[in-house]
Amino acid sequence: MADESAEIVGSLGRELVLRLAPEELPLYPSLLSQFEGKNGGRGKASSRDQILGFGIGETMVLLTPVILSFARGFWDALIAEAAQTTLHGVLKHLHVGRSGQQDVPGSVPLTGEQLKLVRTVAEREADRLQVPTGQAKLLADAMVGLLAAPPVS
Amino acid sequence: MTTGSPGALPASPGPTAPGSAGTRRGALALPASTSFRFALLIAAVLASSIMVYGGIYSATPRGPALQELILTCHAHAMSPAPHGIFAIARADARARACEAGAERVEGVWVLAGIGVLALLAGVLYGAQPWWYRRRLRLSPLTGAALAGRLEDLRSRAGTGPVTWLQQPWNLHLSAFAFGRFRRRYVAISGGAVVAAVRQPAAFDAVVLHELAHIKNRDIDQTYLALAIWRAFVVAVLLPMAWLLIFSRVLGPPQHVLWRAAALGLIVYLLRDSIVRSREFDADARVREIDPDTSLGTVLADLPPPRRRAWHLGRFHPSGRERAAALLNPAPLYRCGFWDGLAVGLVAAIGAAAAQEMVFLLITVNPTGSLLPGAIFALFCGPALAVAIWRMRFGEPETAAGRGWPAGLGLGLGLALGPVVTLSAALDQSVAPDSLSLRTAGALAMWLALITFLFLSFPVWIGHWADWWQRPGGRAGAPVPARGGLLVAAVGAWVVLSAGLGLIQRSYLTVSNGGSARGVANDLIQSFMFAAGVDQSAQSRVVPLVFFAVPLSALLAGLRRPRAGGAAVRASWLRQARPGALLCVAGALTAAAAALAVAAVARAHTAAPVRWDPLFLGSLQIYDFQVAAAAAVVFAVIAAAALRSARAETTALAVAAVAGAAGGLVAANIAPIGYCVTPLSILYARPPASLCQNLYGGSYLAQSVLSVSAEAVVISLLFVPAAHSAGRALAIRRRRERSRMTPLWWLAAGAVAVAVIGGSVLRAAQASAPGTPVLGSIGNDGWVRGPGYDVRLFPGWYDTTPAGNRGRMVAVNAVYPTARLDILAFPASVAAPLDGLLRKQGARPVLLDGMRGLHVRRPGQAGNAVQEWSIAHGRFVYLVQVTEPAGYSHYLSHSVGAMLRSWHPATDG
C-alpha cells in the first residue's frame, strides 16, 4: 500500500510539474528520489570543488519540491477523508493514465462532487503548506484539471 | 580598467577599442597566460622537492655517513697539502671521485622522491572525475530537449565530446567543467536546468563559459595543478614538517621555518593564479564564440567576493573585474611585478636546487653553473617570454618600453631566490638570519645589483615582441606571431641560463659573509669578465641573442609579400640613415677615445713606467674598456635620440660597431704608436722599422669581438631606460620627431672622448705607482757600453750598477730570471775566451756583420744560456742571454731584437 501510495504521489507530482513547470521535468526523477529519501543526500559541494565552475548568485525557485509536498499532503488528506468513492475514482484515473489505456472498463470520469472534494482537499493542503492564496488556487485548479481531464500517457 | 555601472555595460566593445574582436582572437592565438604559470608551478614544485628530499636523506642514518665519507675523502686527497692552483684542482677532483658513489645514491633518492610525488599527482588527477561524481552526487542528464540544446552549444563552441551531468539540488544557475585527459564532463546545476527555459541567455552564457574552458584546454592544466598541489602537501610539505620537528639537519628551525613557508606559499599562490587567470581567457573565448552573448550582464550582476583583501588566494576574479575585462581585455595580457617576481624566484631557487642535483649526480661537470641554470631557465625563460609577448600584444601602440614592473619583480626574485633556498639556512652569516650592519648591507647591495642587472630584460623581450608582432612598426595593428614567440622563448632561455650562472657564481660572496663592497666588487667583476674577457660560447651567445631575435623577425617579414616595394625601400632607407650616421659617429668616437688614452698616457706617465709590460697590459685593458665605454655612451645617445620603432636594436648595433672600431684601434695602439709619434706609448722616437704592419689574425679578432661584445652587453642594461627617457622627454616637449643632427652627435661624441680620455689621467696615475720599475731604459731604450750601443726592447731594464759599465746587465720585467749580460774585456783575452767557448762547442756566427762565436748550453736552476763572443776594436765582448727554461719562445723576439740592435759605437 505504501509503495502504491508513493507511486501515486509520484505520478500526481509528475503530471502537475508537466502542467505547471515543464522546464523542471529533467530534474524530476532526481528530485523525486530525493523527496522519497531514496537518494543518499544532496552531495557536498563548495566553490573550491568547482574550480572551473561559473554561476550567478541568484537561486532559482523550483516548483517541483512544493508540488511533491503538495501531492503527498493531498493524497494523505484524501485518504484521511475516507472518501472511498473519490479515492477509488482517483486511483482508477491515475492507473489508466499511467497505463495509457483510455477504454479500460471502469475508467469513468470523476463526478462533480468528487471533483469538488478534490478541490477542497487540494486548497486545504496548499494552505497548510503556506502557499500564497493565488498560487494555492492555481495548484488546486491544476489538480482538478489533471483529474478531470481524460487520462493521457 | 573600466568600472562603470554593471547595468551600463554594453554587450560588446566598439570596433576600435583595444579589446576589439581581432585583437581578442589574436590573444587567443597566443599561448594562454596560465600556460606559463603552469610551467612555473612545475618548476617550483621540482625545486622545493629537490631541497626537501635532500634534507630528508640527510636526516636518515645515511646522511651522517655521507658527511663522514666526504670529510675522509677530502682529508685523503688534501694530504699532503697541495701547492698551486692546478694541484688543488687535482686534489679536489680526487676527493670528488672518492665521494661520488655515495653522493649519487643521495641523488637517486631525491629523484625517487620526485617520482613518488609525480605518481601521487598522477593518481589524484586520474581519480578526480570519479571523486567529483561521487562527492557531488552528479547524475546523468535527463531530458532530450535540454541535451539537444547543450549539444547545440557544444557544436557552436567547437569542442570535442562532452559528458553532460546534472546536480539537481544545486539551485543556483551554475555549471562546472572537469575531467581528465580525453574525458570531459560538464555538470549542470538544477538551477541551470530550469534557467535554460526561464533565463535562456544567462544559461547560454554560463554553459558556453564552461565549454570555453574545454576549448582553451583548461581542464588538464587546472586539475593537474590541483593534483600537484595536493601531492605536494602530502609528499613534500608533510615530510618537511616532520623534518622541522624531529631534525636539525637543515639548520636552526628559525632559519628553516620561514624558508619552508615561503616555498609552500610560492607553490600555493602559483596554483591559485593558474585557476584565476583561466577565467579571463574563458570569457574572451565566449565572446569569440558568441559575440552577442549576455555574459557581460551576467558577470556584472555577480555578487562581490567576500574576501576582498586576499585576492591572491581567490580562485576566481570578481564578476566586476571579468565584466570590465570583456570591454577592455587588459587583464588578459597583464604581466606585472608579481609575475616577474614569481619567474625570478622560481628560476633562482630552481637553479640552486639543480646545482645540488648536478653536484650529486655528476662527478665532473664541465659546464660549471651553466647546466643547473639552463635546466630551470628552460621553464622560466619561455614562461617570461609568453607573458611579455602577450602583454605587448595587448598594449596600445603608443606604449614603449613597458615591462619595467615585471623587470623589477624579476630582478628581485632572482636576487632573493638564493636567500630563500633551504640550503641557505646553513649559512651562518647572511641576512636576514644573521642581522648586522655588515650582513644587511651585503644583502642590500646584492639585491640592488642583481635587480639592476635584470631590470631591463623583460623590456627587451617586449621589444622582440614588437619586432614580430608589429611588423609595420608601432603604428601598425598587432598580429600574433607564434613562430616569433618560439624564437623569443629560446632566446629568453639562453639569456636567463647565463644570468642564473652568474648569480650562482656570485652569490658565494654573500653566503661567505662578504661585505657590501666585496659583494659589489665581485659581482661587477664577474659581470665584466663574462661580458668582455671570457671567451666562452656562453658569453658570446648572449649578445648575439639580442640581434638574432630581431633579425629573425626581419627575415620573416621579408618573406611576406607587401605592396609598394619601392616606397617601402625608400622608407627603410630613410629610417636607417640616422642609425647609420650614429654608427659612424660612435665608431669614430670609440676609436678616438682609444687613441686619446694612448696620447694622455704618453704625456702623463714616466717613460720607464710605460716601458713595463705589466703597465702596458693594464693600460691596454683599460683602453679596451674606454673603447667599450665610448660605444656604450653612443648606444645610449642613439637609444635616447632615435624615434624609430627599432631604436633599441639600432642602439645595440651602434654599440657593436663602435665597440668593434674601438677594439680595432685599441688592439693596434702599439703599431699605431710606432708610426705616429705623439701616440707612441713606448718610445719617444719610435724606430721607423716597426711602422710596418698592424696586428691581425686571431689576436685582433678576439680583441675586436671582446670589446664589441662588452659594449653590447653593458648597453643592454642602459638602452631601454635611455629610450624610455628619450621618449618621455620628447613627449613632454611635444616633439615626436627627432631634432638630433649629425653635428649634435659629433659634439656629444667629442664630449664623450674628452671625458673618457680624461679619465686615463687618473688611471695612469693610479696604476703607475704600483708598477715596479726595475731599472733604467737609457735614452729611449738605447744604452751605451764600452765601445757599443744596444737598444733595449720594451720590458727590459738596464740594471747595471753605477760605475761598472764594463758589464751591462739587463733584466726582464715579466720574467726576472731572464737576463742579458754584456761583458767587455780587453782585446788581449780574445784568444783564451774563444778557446773556452770552442771547448763548449761554440760555432762561428755573424753578429751585426762582425765575426764571432756562438754557443748554447744549459745554465743553473734549469735556465738556458746562449753566449756570443765578438771582438771589435779595443774590446772583445761576451754577450750572454739567460732564459728561464720553457719560456724561450716568449723571449726570443725581444732578445733577437736587442741582439740585432747591438753595434759598435760610432764614436768609437
Side-chain angles (χ1 to χ4, degrees), chain A residues 24 26 34 44 51-52 61, chain B residues 136 142 169 171 198 210 226:
Chain A
E24 295 177 20
Q34 183 68 31
K44 295 175 182 174
I51 289 168
L52 291 183
V61 176
Chain B
L136 303 179
T142 57
W169 282 102
L171 300 184
R198 296 183 195 167
E210 296 310 310
L226 269 187

Side-chain angles (χ1 to χ4, degrees), chain B residues 30 38 66 93 165 177 196 256 377 461 468 471 477 573 579 644 703 738 792 832 893:
Chain B
L30 293 171
F38 187 67
L66 177 61
L165 302 171
V256 182
I461 297 179
W468 274 94
L573 286 174
S644 74
S703 301
S738 168
L792 299 176
H893 175 67

Side-chain angles (χ1 to χ4, degrees), chain A residues 21-35 39-63 65, chain B residues 132 135-137 139 142 166-169 171-177 190-191 193-194 197-199 206 209-210 213 222 226 268 271 275 295 298-299 302 307 315-316 322:
Chain A
E23 70 273 15
E24 295 177 20
L25 268 184
L27 302 172
Y28 189 76
S30 301
L31 296 177
L32 180 63
S33 298
Q34 183 68 31
F35 181 76
N39 207 337
R42 298 181 177 193
K44 295 175 182 174
S46 72
S47 62
R48 297 189 84 77
D49 284 319
Q50 301 177 12
I51 289 168
L52 291 183
F54 176 38
I56 61 177
E58 182 184 348
T59 302
M60 304 302 287
V61 176
L62 295 189
L63 279 182
Chain B
Y132 274 134
R135 176 177 163 83
L136 303 179
R137 299 196 181 283
S139 55
T142 57
Q166 63 179 0
Q167 194 183 9
W169 282 102
L171 300 184
H172 293 284
L173 197 181
S174 67
F176 77 101
V193 170
V194 175
V197 175
R198 296 183 195 167
Q199 299 180 22
V206 168
H209 177 89
E210 296 310 310
H213 279 308
T222 304
L226 269 187
Y268 176 79
R271 181 206 70 158
V275 180
L295 184 63
V298 170
L299 289 170
L302 286 178
R307 293 180 299 170
F315 275 165
H316 284 61
R322 290 167 60 186

Side-chain angles (χ1 to χ4, degrees), chain B residues 28-47:
Chain B
L28 293 170
L30 293 171
S33 56
T34 318
S35 302
F36 90 80
R37 292 190 171 96
F38 187 67
L40 287 183
L41 176 73
I42 302 274
V45 168
L46 269 180

Side-chain angles (χ1 to χ4, degrees), chain B residues 859-878:
Chain B
Q860 293 178 340
N863 290 332
V865 177
Q866 295 185 75
E867 288 174 322
W868 292 261
S869 74
I870 297 154
H872 183 73
R874 294 182 292 124
F875 298 100
V876 59
Y877 302 100
L878 180 65

Side-chain angles (χ1 to χ4, degrees), chain B residues 217-236:
Chain B
R217 300 189 186 93
D218 292 350
I219 305 279
D220 294 329
Q221 285 187 12
T222 304
Y223 288 100
L224 264 174
L226 269 187
I228 288 170
W229 163 252
R230 286 167 179 158
F232 181 74
V233 170
V234 173
V236 178

